[in-house]
Amino acid sequence: RNRKRLVDCRSDIDRWNAPFLAIYESLVPAEEEKAKQKQLLASLEKLVNKEWPRAQLYLYGSCANAFGVSNSDIDVCLAIEDTDINKSEILLKLAEILQADNLQDVQALTRARVPIVKLKDPVTGISCDICINNVLAVVNTKLLRDYAEIDGRLRELAFIVKHWAKKRGVNVTYQGTLSSYAYVLMCIHFLQQRKPAILPCLQGMEATYVVTVDDIECAYFDQVQKLREFGAKNTESIAKLVWAFFDYWAHLHDYANAVISVRTGSIISKRAKEWTRRIGNDRHLICIEDPFETSHDLGRVVDKYSINTLREEFDRAANIMQYDPDPCVTLFEPY
Ligand code: ATP
Ligand code: MG
Protein backbone atom coordinates (compact mmCIF):
# COMPACT_ATOMS: atom_id res chain seq x y z
CA ARG A 1 0.00 0.00 0.00
CA ASN A 2 1.35 3.39 -0.94
CA ARG A 3 0.84 5.50 2.12
CA LYS A 4 2.47 8.66 0.83
CA ARG A 5 0.24 11.67 1.06
CA LEU A 6 -0.64 12.86 -2.41
CA VAL A 7 -2.35 16.16 -1.78
CA ASP A 8 -2.22 19.23 0.41
CA CYS A 9 -5.07 20.10 2.71
CA ARG A 10 -8.31 21.03 0.93
CA SER A 11 -8.63 24.78 0.59
CA ASP A 12 -12.11 24.98 2.12
CA ILE A 13 -11.12 23.32 5.41
CA ASP A 14 -12.02 26.33 7.57
CA ARG A 15 -15.70 25.97 6.67
CA TRP A 16 -15.80 23.23 9.30
CA ASN A 17 -14.38 25.16 12.23
CA ALA A 18 -17.75 26.23 13.58
CA PRO A 19 -19.33 22.76 13.27
CA PHE A 20 -16.33 21.06 14.94
CA LEU A 21 -16.41 23.61 17.77
CA ALA A 22 -20.14 22.99 18.19
CA ILE A 23 -19.46 19.25 18.58
CA TYR A 24 -16.76 20.01 21.14
CA GLU A 25 -19.11 22.32 23.10
CA SER A 26 -21.80 19.65 23.14
CA LEU A 27 -19.39 17.16 24.73
CA VAL A 28 -17.97 19.37 27.49
CA PRO A 29 -19.57 18.59 30.87
CA ALA A 30 -21.60 21.23 32.69
CA GLU A 31 -20.23 22.80 35.89
CA GLU A 32 -22.86 21.17 38.11
CA GLU A 33 -21.54 17.77 37.11
CA LYS A 34 -18.15 18.65 38.63
CA ALA A 35 -19.88 19.70 41.84
CA LYS A 36 -21.73 16.37 42.06
CA GLN A 37 -18.45 14.50 41.58
CA LYS A 38 -16.77 16.48 44.38
CA GLN A 39 -19.74 15.79 46.64
CA LEU A 40 -19.55 12.05 45.97
CA LEU A 41 -15.78 12.07 46.57
CA ALA A 42 -16.22 13.82 49.91
CA SER A 43 -18.84 11.35 51.12
CA LEU A 44 -16.69 8.40 50.02
CA GLU A 45 -13.71 9.88 51.84
CA LYS A 46 -15.71 10.13 55.06
CA LEU A 47 -16.65 6.47 54.83
CA VAL A 48 -13.13 5.35 54.04
CA ASN A 49 -11.65 7.40 56.88
CA LYS A 50 -13.75 5.52 59.44
CA GLU A 51 -11.73 2.41 58.60
CA TRP A 52 -8.44 4.03 57.54
CA PRO A 53 -8.14 7.46 59.19
CA ARG A 54 -5.06 8.52 57.22
CA ALA A 55 -6.14 7.30 53.81
CA GLN A 56 -6.87 9.87 51.09
CA LEU A 57 -8.97 9.77 47.96
CA TYR A 58 -7.90 11.37 44.69
CA LEU A 59 -9.78 11.81 41.45
CA TYR A 60 -7.85 10.78 38.36
CA GLY A 61 -8.62 9.92 34.75
CA SER A 62 -10.96 11.89 32.57
CA CYS A 63 -12.99 13.39 35.44
CA ALA A 64 -9.82 15.20 36.58
CA ASN A 65 -7.66 15.61 33.48
CA ALA A 66 -9.86 18.07 31.52
CA PHE A 67 -10.59 15.48 28.81
CA GLY A 68 -13.78 13.99 30.22
CA VAL A 69 -17.08 14.11 28.38
CA SER A 70 -20.31 14.59 30.30
CA ASN A 71 -21.80 11.66 32.19
CA SER A 72 -18.62 9.62 32.26
CA ASP A 73 -17.70 7.35 35.12
CA ILE A 74 -15.27 8.72 37.66
CA ASP A 75 -11.93 7.17 38.52
CA VAL A 76 -10.83 7.37 42.16
CA CYS A 77 -7.54 6.35 43.73
CA LEU A 78 -7.38 5.36 47.40
CA ALA A 79 -3.94 6.27 48.74
CA ILE A 80 -3.18 4.23 51.83
CA GLU A 81 0.10 3.77 53.68
CA ASP A 82 -0.41 0.37 55.31
CA THR A 83 1.70 -1.59 52.90
CA ASP A 84 1.62 -4.73 55.03
CA ILE A 85 -1.98 -5.48 54.04
CA ASN A 86 -2.35 -6.68 50.46
CA LYS A 87 -4.44 -4.92 47.84
CA SER A 88 -7.04 -7.66 47.53
CA GLU A 89 -7.74 -7.55 51.24
CA ILE A 90 -8.12 -3.78 51.16
CA LEU A 91 -10.43 -3.97 48.15
CA LEU A 92 -12.62 -6.61 49.78
CA LYS A 93 -12.81 -4.62 53.00
CA LEU A 94 -13.60 -1.46 51.02
CA ALA A 95 -16.38 -3.24 49.13
CA GLU A 96 -17.85 -4.38 52.43
CA ILE A 97 -17.84 -0.83 53.83
CA LEU A 98 -19.42 0.63 50.70
CA GLN A 99 -22.11 -2.03 50.54
CA ALA A 100 -23.03 -1.40 54.16
CA ASP A 101 -23.59 2.25 53.26
CA ASN A 102 -26.16 1.40 50.57
CA LEU A 103 -24.06 2.20 47.56
CA GLN A 104 -25.31 0.21 44.56
CA ASP A 105 -23.75 -2.47 42.38
CA VAL A 106 -20.67 -2.78 44.58
CA GLN A 107 -18.21 -5.23 43.05
CA ALA A 108 -14.58 -5.98 43.94
CA LEU A 109 -12.56 -6.96 40.85
CA THR A 110 -9.45 -8.22 42.60
CA ARG A 111 -8.01 -10.09 39.63
CA ALA A 112 -8.20 -7.34 36.99
CA ARG A 113 -4.96 -5.87 35.55
CA VAL A 114 -5.69 -2.82 37.70
CA PRO A 115 -7.71 -4.26 40.63
CA ILE A 116 -10.69 -2.06 41.52
CA VAL A 117 -13.96 -1.78 43.38
CA LYS A 118 -16.88 -0.65 41.24
CA LEU A 119 -19.92 1.11 42.62
CA LYS A 120 -22.82 3.34 41.73
CA ASP A 121 -24.03 6.20 43.88
CA PRO A 122 -27.85 6.21 43.99
CA VAL A 123 -27.97 9.90 44.97
CA THR A 124 -26.00 11.39 42.07
CA GLY A 125 -26.30 8.44 39.68
CA ILE A 126 -22.53 8.51 39.16
CA SER A 127 -20.62 5.26 38.62
CA CYS A 128 -17.18 5.04 40.07
CA ASP A 129 -14.09 2.80 39.99
CA ILE A 130 -11.78 2.87 43.00
CA CYS A 131 -8.23 1.57 42.74
CA ILE A 132 -5.55 1.39 45.43
CA ASN A 133 -2.28 3.36 45.49
CA ASN A 134 -2.18 4.00 41.75
CA VAL A 135 -0.39 7.27 42.39
CA LEU A 136 1.29 7.38 38.98
CA ALA A 137 -2.13 7.66 37.39
CA VAL A 138 -2.84 10.65 39.64
CA VAL A 139 0.41 12.27 38.50
CA ASN A 140 -0.13 11.61 34.79
CA THR A 141 -3.64 13.00 35.20
CA LYS A 142 -2.10 16.25 36.46
CA LEU A 143 0.32 16.33 33.51
CA LEU A 144 -2.57 16.04 31.04
CA ARG A 145 -4.57 18.69 32.86
CA ASP A 146 -1.57 21.04 32.87
CA TYR A 147 -1.08 20.60 29.12
CA ALA A 148 -4.76 21.38 28.60
CA GLU A 149 -4.32 24.80 30.23
CA ILE A 150 -1.67 25.94 27.78
CA ASP A 151 -3.66 26.04 24.55
CA GLY A 152 -7.39 25.48 24.16
CA ARG A 153 -6.87 23.65 20.88
CA LEU A 154 -5.56 20.59 22.74
CA ARG A 155 -8.84 20.08 24.56
CA GLU A 156 -10.83 20.67 21.35
CA LEU A 157 -8.74 18.24 19.33
CA ALA A 158 -8.69 15.56 22.04
CA PHE A 159 -12.46 15.69 22.55
CA ILE A 160 -13.00 15.30 18.81
CA VAL A 161 -10.49 12.44 18.53
CA LYS A 162 -11.93 10.63 21.57
CA HIS A 163 -15.47 11.08 20.21
CA TRP A 164 -14.37 9.68 16.84
CA ALA A 165 -12.60 6.74 18.53
CA LYS A 166 -15.66 5.84 20.59
CA LYS A 167 -18.04 6.07 17.61
CA ARG A 168 -15.72 4.00 15.42
CA GLY A 169 -15.09 1.34 18.05
CA VAL A 170 -11.33 1.93 18.30
CA ASN A 171 -11.24 2.90 22.00
CA VAL A 172 -11.53 -0.64 23.43
CA THR A 173 -8.26 -1.88 24.95
CA TYR A 174 -9.43 -5.45 25.46
CA GLN A 175 -10.12 -5.61 21.72
CA GLY A 176 -6.63 -4.39 20.93
CA THR A 177 -7.37 -0.75 20.22
CA LEU A 178 -6.16 2.26 22.18
CA SER A 179 -7.15 3.76 25.55
CA SER A 180 -8.42 7.31 25.93
CA TYR A 181 -5.17 8.08 27.72
CA ALA A 182 -3.20 6.96 24.66
CA TYR A 183 -5.30 9.14 22.34
CA VAL A 184 -4.73 12.21 24.51
CA LEU A 185 -0.96 11.57 24.47
CA MET A 186 -1.14 11.30 20.67
CA CYS A 187 -2.84 14.71 20.56
CA ILE A 188 -0.29 16.33 22.90
CA HIS A 189 2.60 14.94 20.91
CA PHE A 190 1.02 16.07 17.66
CA LEU A 191 0.65 19.65 18.92
CA GLN A 192 4.25 19.63 20.21
CA GLN A 193 5.32 18.78 16.66
CA ARG A 194 3.43 21.49 14.76
CA LYS A 195 5.55 24.18 13.17
CA PRO A 196 5.50 26.55 15.00
CA ALA A 197 4.76 24.37 18.04
CA ILE A 198 1.39 24.74 19.73
CA LEU A 199 2.50 22.97 22.93
CA PRO A 200 5.90 22.97 24.66
CA CYS A 201 7.56 19.91 26.18
CA LEU A 202 6.95 20.42 29.91
CA GLN A 203 9.28 17.60 30.94
CA GLY A 204 12.10 19.23 28.97
CA MET A 205 11.84 22.48 30.93
CA GLU A 206 13.04 23.50 34.37
CA ALA A 207 11.17 21.34 36.89
CA THR A 208 8.83 23.18 39.24
CA TYR A 209 6.95 20.04 40.24
CA VAL A 210 8.85 16.97 41.41
CA VAL A 211 7.49 13.80 42.99
CA THR A 212 8.89 10.32 43.24
CA VAL A 213 6.35 7.56 42.78
CA ASP A 214 7.22 3.84 42.80
CA ASP A 215 10.91 4.78 42.30
CA ILE A 216 10.07 6.87 39.24
CA GLU A 217 10.97 10.53 39.43
CA CYS A 218 8.22 12.62 37.87
CA ALA A 219 9.45 16.13 37.21
CA TYR A 220 8.25 18.91 34.94
CA PHE A 221 7.46 22.61 34.63
CA ASP A 222 3.94 23.01 35.96
CA GLN A 223 3.57 26.82 36.12
CA VAL A 224 1.48 26.59 33.00
CA GLN A 225 -0.33 29.87 33.54
CA LYS A 226 2.94 31.44 32.34
CA LEU A 227 2.67 29.58 29.04
CA ARG A 228 -0.72 30.77 27.87
CA GLU A 229 0.83 32.58 24.89
CA PHE A 230 3.07 29.68 23.92
CA GLY A 231 1.05 28.56 20.90
CA ALA A 232 0.02 32.02 19.69
CA LYS A 233 2.50 32.09 16.79
CA ASN A 234 0.68 29.15 15.30
CA THR A 235 -2.75 30.20 14.03
CA GLU A 236 -3.93 26.84 12.68
CA SER A 237 -7.65 26.31 13.11
CA ILE A 238 -9.26 23.32 14.79
CA ALA A 239 -10.55 21.93 11.46
CA LYS A 240 -7.05 22.11 9.99
CA LEU A 241 -5.62 20.37 13.06
CA VAL A 242 -8.17 17.55 12.91
CA TRP A 243 -7.28 17.14 9.24
CA ALA A 244 -3.54 17.14 9.99
CA PHE A 245 -3.87 14.75 12.94
CA PHE A 246 -5.50 12.06 10.81
CA ASP A 247 -3.20 12.82 7.88
CA TYR A 248 -0.25 12.20 10.22
CA TRP A 249 -1.51 8.84 11.50
CA ALA A 250 -2.74 7.73 8.05
CA HIS A 251 0.18 8.81 5.88
CA LEU A 252 3.18 10.21 7.72
CA HIS A 253 3.86 8.20 10.88
CA ASP A 254 6.70 5.70 10.51
CA TYR A 255 5.09 2.65 12.09
CA ALA A 256 8.18 0.50 11.53
CA ASN A 257 10.67 2.66 13.42
CA ALA A 258 9.11 5.53 15.33
CA VAL A 259 7.99 5.96 18.93
CA ILE A 260 6.04 9.08 19.84
CA SER A 261 7.27 10.61 23.08
CA VAL A 262 5.55 13.41 24.99
CA ARG A 263 8.39 13.23 27.52
CA THR A 264 10.95 14.47 24.99
CA GLY A 265 8.53 16.32 22.72
CA SER A 266 9.93 14.40 19.77
CA ILE A 267 9.97 11.13 17.88
CA ILE A 268 12.44 8.58 19.18
CA SER A 269 13.47 5.31 17.58
CA LYS A 270 12.19 1.87 18.49
CA ARG A 271 15.80 0.75 18.38
CA ALA A 272 16.81 3.19 21.13
CA LYS A 273 14.11 1.72 23.34
CA GLU A 274 14.71 -1.89 22.30
CA TRP A 275 11.14 -2.10 21.12
CA THR A 276 12.05 -3.75 17.82
CA ARG A 277 11.33 -7.33 18.81
CA ARG A 278 8.21 -8.90 20.13
CA ILE A 279 8.67 -9.87 23.77
CA GLY A 280 5.83 -11.92 25.21
CA ASN A 281 2.67 -10.16 24.13
CA ASP A 282 4.31 -6.79 23.55
CA ARG A 283 4.45 -6.36 19.80
CA HIS A 284 5.08 -2.62 19.55
CA LEU A 285 3.12 -2.20 16.32
CA ILE A 286 2.25 1.40 17.20
CA CYS A 287 4.49 2.93 19.84
CA ILE A 288 3.39 5.54 22.38
CA GLU A 289 5.79 6.05 25.26
CA ASP A 290 4.27 6.68 28.67
CA PRO A 291 5.62 10.06 29.87
CA PHE A 292 6.72 8.69 33.27
CA GLU A 293 6.83 4.89 33.03
CA THR A 294 9.10 5.11 30.03
CA SER A 295 9.42 1.35 29.58
CA HIS A 296 5.69 1.25 29.09
CA ASP A 297 4.34 1.33 25.52
CA LEU A 298 0.67 2.33 25.49
CA GLY A 299 0.42 0.68 22.10
CA ARG A 300 1.24 -2.70 23.56
CA VAL A 301 -2.43 -3.70 23.58
CA VAL A 302 -2.43 -3.53 19.77
CA ASP A 303 -2.07 -6.91 18.00
CA LYS A 304 -1.51 -7.97 14.39
CA TYR A 305 -5.25 -7.80 13.65
CA SER A 306 -6.20 -4.65 15.51
CA ILE A 307 -3.32 -2.69 13.98
CA ASN A 308 -5.07 -3.07 10.62
CA THR A 309 -8.38 -1.96 12.08
CA LEU A 310 -6.70 1.10 13.55
CA ARG A 311 -4.83 2.02 10.39
CA GLU A 312 -7.93 1.56 8.26
CA GLU A 313 -9.77 3.91 10.59
CA PHE A 314 -7.00 6.50 10.35
CA ASP A 315 -7.12 6.20 6.55
CA ARG A 316 -10.89 6.53 6.53
CA ALA A 317 -10.77 9.60 8.76
CA ALA A 318 -8.02 11.23 6.68
CA ASN A 319 -10.02 10.63 3.50
CA ILE A 320 -13.17 12.07 4.99
CA MET A 321 -11.31 15.15 6.21
CA GLN A 322 -9.89 15.64 2.72
CA TYR A 323 -12.83 14.82 0.45
CA ASP A 324 -16.14 14.42 2.25
CA PRO A 325 -18.79 17.09 1.68
CA ASP A 326 -19.90 16.80 5.30
CA PRO A 327 -16.90 15.65 7.39
CA CYS A 328 -18.41 16.69 10.74
CA VAL A 329 -21.14 14.11 10.23
CA THR A 330 -19.41 11.34 8.29
CA LEU A 331 -16.37 11.21 10.55
CA PHE A 332 -18.49 10.14 13.53
CA GLU A 333 -20.84 7.69 11.79
CA PRO A 334 -21.06 4.53 13.90
CA TYR A 335 -19.10 1.61 12.44
P1 ATP B 1 -12.58 7.96 29.42
O1 ATP B 1 -13.23 9.27 29.18
O2 ATP B 1 -12.61 7.10 28.21
O3 ATP B 1 -12.99 7.28 30.69
P2 ATP B 1 -10.02 8.34 30.78
O4 ATP B 1 -9.14 9.55 30.61
O5 ATP B 1 -10.66 8.15 32.10
O6 ATP B 1 -11.04 8.35 29.59
P3 ATP B 1 -8.88 5.76 30.82
O7 ATP B 1 -8.22 5.12 29.64
O8 ATP B 1 -10.15 5.22 31.40
O9 ATP B 1 -9.08 7.22 30.38
O10 ATP B 1 -7.78 5.87 31.94
C1 ATP B 1 -8.00 6.53 33.18
C2 ATP B 1 -6.68 7.04 33.71
O11 ATP B 1 -5.87 5.94 34.07
C3 ATP B 1 -5.86 7.84 32.72
O12 ATP B 1 -6.17 9.19 32.71
C4 ATP B 1 -4.48 7.59 33.21
O13 ATP B 1 -4.20 8.46 34.30
C5 ATP B 1 -4.54 6.20 33.73
N1 ATP B 1 -4.16 5.19 32.73
C6 ATP B 1 -4.96 4.53 31.89
N2 ATP B 1 -4.29 3.65 31.16
C7 ATP B 1 -3.02 3.75 31.55
C8 ATP B 1 -1.83 3.07 31.20
N3 ATP B 1 -1.84 2.11 30.26
N4 ATP B 1 -0.70 3.43 31.83
C9 ATP B 1 -0.69 4.38 32.77
N5 ATP B 1 -1.79 5.05 33.17
C10 ATP B 1 -2.93 4.73 32.57
MG1 MG C 1 -12.20 6.81 32.85
Side-chain angles (χ1 to χ4, degrees):
R1 211 150 31 143
N2 179 7
R3 292 187 169 274
K4 278 271 173 300
R5 175 162 46 118
L6 299 173
V7 286
D8 287 330
C9 184
R10 66 201 284 173
S11 59
D12 60 351
I13 192 72
D14 283 334
R15 283 176 53 196
W16 288 284
N17 281 325
F20 271 122
L21 286 177
I23 290 168
Y24 162 74
E25 297 292 346
S26 73
L27 296 168
V28 171
E31 277 304 315
E32 61 255 33
E33 201 174 318
K34 286 267 161 304
K36 275 192 194 171
Q37 294 173 351
K38 292 260 155 62
Q39 185 193 328
L40 173 58
L41 191 73
S43 64
L44 290 174
E45 194 152 48
K46 248 192 200 160
L47 274 179
V48 165
N49 283 152
K50 281 187 200 161
E51 177 74 25
W52 299 286
R54 299 193 320 135
Q56 282 183 299
L57 291 184
Y58 296 96
L59 284 176
Y60 73 100
S62 62
C63 58
N65 68 13
F67 299 102
V69 300
S70 46
N71 303 314
S72 30
D73 299 357
I74 66 172
D75 298 302
V76 174
C77 171
L78 169 64
I80 190 165
E81 306 242 335
D82 292 300
T83 38
D84 44 320
I85 353 178
N86 75 41
K87 276 192 188 178
S88 299
E89 278 175 55
I90 298 175
L91 283 171
L92 292 169
K93 182 75 201 166
L94 181 61
E96 197 181 295
I97 295 168
L98 298 167
Q99 202 129 39
D101 199 68
N102 292 324
L103 287 151
Q104 292 175 338
D105 308 336
V106 177
Q107 239 184 318
L109 306 180
T110 54
R111 286 191 293 190
R113 192 182 62 84
V114 179
I116 52 170
V117 174
K118 285 182 152 316
L119 64 96
K120 185 172 172 170
D121 174 32
V123 181
T124 57
I126 299 175
S127 298
C128 168
D129 292 349
I130 307 179
C131 67
I132 314 282
N133 289 346
N134 191 0
V135 183
L136 261 182
V138 177
V139 177
N140 68 36
T141 293
K142 173 174 158 58
L143 180 73
L144 266 46
R145 186 174 62 233
D146 285 337
Y147 270 113
E149 290 231 2
I150 299 170
D151 194 293
R153 287 171 288 185
L154 170 59
R155 217 174 161 219
E156 294 163 6
L157 178 66
F159 268 74
I160 290 163
V161 169
K162 275 179 67 174
H163 186 53
W164 162 83
K166 285 194 199 318
K167 291 287 182 191
R168 300 300 301 172
V170 287
N171 179 206
V172 190
T173 47
Y174 63 83
Q175 290 176 358
T177 55
L178 299 169
S179 66
S180 296
Y181 178 57
Y183 282 113
V184 176
L185 292 173
M186 288 158 79
C187 292
I188 295 173
H189 180 263
F190 170 76
L191 296 179
Q192 288 175 328
Q193 294 286 297
R194 298 311 287 165
K195 303 266 178 314
I198 293 178
L199 291 178
C201 171
L202 294 176
Q203 289 169 277
M205 298 166 65
E206 172 210 354
T208 53
Y209 171 81
V210 182
V211 287
T212 302
V213 181
D214 306 337
D215 295 331
I216 297 172
E217 180 175 284
C218 307
Y220 68 91
F221 183 78
D222 78 334
Q223 296 175 3
V224 285
Q225 64 290 347
K226 294 186 183 156
L227 298 173
R228 290 266 165 75
E229 294 302 309
F230 183 91
K233 283 197 210 81
N234 182 315
T235 57
E236 286 175 304
S237 67
I238 185 61
K240 174 74 188 295
L241 291 170
V242 173
W243 177 90
F245 178 86
F246 288 119
D247 182 54
Y248 175 79
W249 286 101
H251 306 126
L252 303 176
H253 182 70
D254 180 0
Y255 286 82
N257 303 300
V259 176
I260 66 157
S261 164
V262 165
R263 173 180 62 96
T264 60
S266 66
I267 298 278
I268 53 188
S269 74
K270 286 193 191 181
R271 192 136 33 87
K273 300 201 63 90
E274 298 183 22
W275 283 356
T276 47
R277 285 175 311 122
R278 173 180 168 190
I279 297 175
N281 273 332
D282 288 11
R283 293 169 193 268
H284 306 299
L285 300 173
I286 174 171
C287 294
I288 303 159
E289 181 193 59
D290 187 89
F292 300 121
E293 269 183 289
T294 55
S295 63
H296 187 157
D297 177 7
L298 291 159
R300 71 179 176 189
V301 292
V302 177
D303 61 39
K304 62 181 175 186
Y305 306 105
S306 60
I307 186 67
N308 290 322
T309 308
L310 263 179
R311 294 186 66 169
E312 279 162 19
E313 285 299 329
F314 289 138
D315 283 355
R316 172 187 176 274
N319 265 314
I320 289 168
M321 289 308 297
Q322 181 68 1
Y323 300 111
D324 196 272
D326 209 355
C328 290
V329 174
T330 317
L331 192 61
F332 307 108
E333 269 167 8
Y335 64 105

